[in-house]
């Protein structure tokens, strides 16, 4: 049995959905917007799938991991393959929806399955992850809007 922590948030951006998806599909961008990472080494297995090895800080604690990713028509999904902590499983992704002619909504979700001995940390972890997600979505928005400016 495991403790589960689910966090999700969304942000609206003044662009069409495909512009946002293009930035998300450039998986190398992940180290620019994911605040828990300082580096990501990408290994593409196909146009839609691959893995990335990560280094970063989680609540100030150094960590390394390995994730698989799948690019989807409306975003992407990733899942931790190699965890820095026995019994930890992490998965998440992004879903992009067109909400108006020149506006899209990006939904981001992360789900953590923790060993039961970490159960007492769940409230702290949830607050920490929610704060990090707000920063992540703001950074992603900036990257998307910059890419539009650079291409136009």
């Amino acid at each position: 049995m495991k403790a589960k922590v689910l966090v999700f948030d969304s942000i609206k951006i003044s662009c069409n959905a495909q512009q946002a998806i293009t930035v998300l599909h450039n998986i190398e961008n992940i180290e620019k917007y994911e605040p828990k990472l300082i580096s990501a080494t990408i290994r593409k297995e196909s146009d839609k799938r691959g893995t990335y090895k990560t280094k970063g800080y989680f609540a100030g604690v150094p960590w390394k991991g390995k994730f698989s990713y799948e690019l989807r028509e409306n975003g992407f999904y990733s899942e931790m393959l190699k965890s820095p902590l026995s019994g930890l499983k992490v998965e998440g992704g992004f879903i992009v929806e067109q909400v108006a002619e020149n506006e899209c909504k990006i939904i981001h979700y992360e789900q953590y399955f923790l060993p039961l001995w970490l159960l007492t940390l769940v409230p702290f972890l949830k607050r920490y992850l929610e704060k990090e997600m707000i920063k992540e979505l703001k950074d992603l928005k900036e990257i998307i809007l910059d890419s539009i400016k650079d291409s136009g």
Side-chain angles (χ1 to χ4, degrees):
M1 197 165 180
K2 296 187 183 250
K4 179 177 156 183
V5 177
L6 172 63
V7 291
F8 58 93
D9 203 348
S10 65
I11 194 166
K12 289 185 179 177
I13 303 177
S14 296
C15 69
N16 69 53
Q18 193 53 54
Q19 291 168 311
I21 291 167
T22 298
V23 170
L24 286 168
H25 279 189
N26 184 354
I27 201 75
E28 289 83 4
N29 284 325
I30 197 166
E31 67 184 32
K32 296 176 187 172
Y33 60 81
E34 170 56 75
K36 297 181 291 294
L37 296 184
I38 56 173
S39 70
T41 305
I42 313 301
R43 187 173 152 260
K44 293 182 179 180
E45 296 168 0
S46 71
D47 288 345
K48 301 277 183 202
R49 296 179 187 271
T51 60
Y52 55 97
K53 291 183 179 179
T54 59
K55 291 181 186 175
Y57 291 91
F58 188 97
V61 178
W63 70 280
K64 294 179 183 179
K66 183 177 181 182
F67 291 79
S68 66
Y69 71 87
E70 177 187 353
L71 303 180
R72 296 183 174 172
E73 188 176 305
N74 63 344
F76 83 83
Y77 169 80
S78 67
E79 183 175 347
M80 184 176 271
L81 300 173
K82 185 178 179 186
S83 169
L85 183 64
S86 178
L88 173 67
K89 180 182 176 195
V90 180
E91 60 186 17
F94 293 87
I95 300 167
V96 182
E97 300 174 342
Q98 193 74 43
V99 294
E101 185 177 337
N102 194 34
E103 184 177 55
C104 71
K105 178 179 179 180
I106 299 176
I107 302 162
H108 182 31
Y109 62 96
E110 294 179 3
Q111 188 163 244
Y112 294 75
F113 298 93
L114 309 167
L116 281 180
W117 62 270
L118 289 174
L119 187 61
T120 58
L121 295 178
V122 167
F124 164 76
L125 291 173
K126 188 165 178 70
R127 282 192 304 277
Y128 167 76
L129 291 167
E130 288 168 344
K131 282 180 57 181
E132 292 293 282
M133 188 169 283
I134 290 167
K135 180 180 182 345
E136 182 173 2
L137 286 169
K138 286 179 181 177
D139 290 347
L140 179 58
K141 179 179 181 176
E142 189 175 307
I143 292 166
I144 292 167
L145 294 176
D146 285 348
S147 77
I148 294 167
K149 278 191 266 182
D150 291 346
S151 68

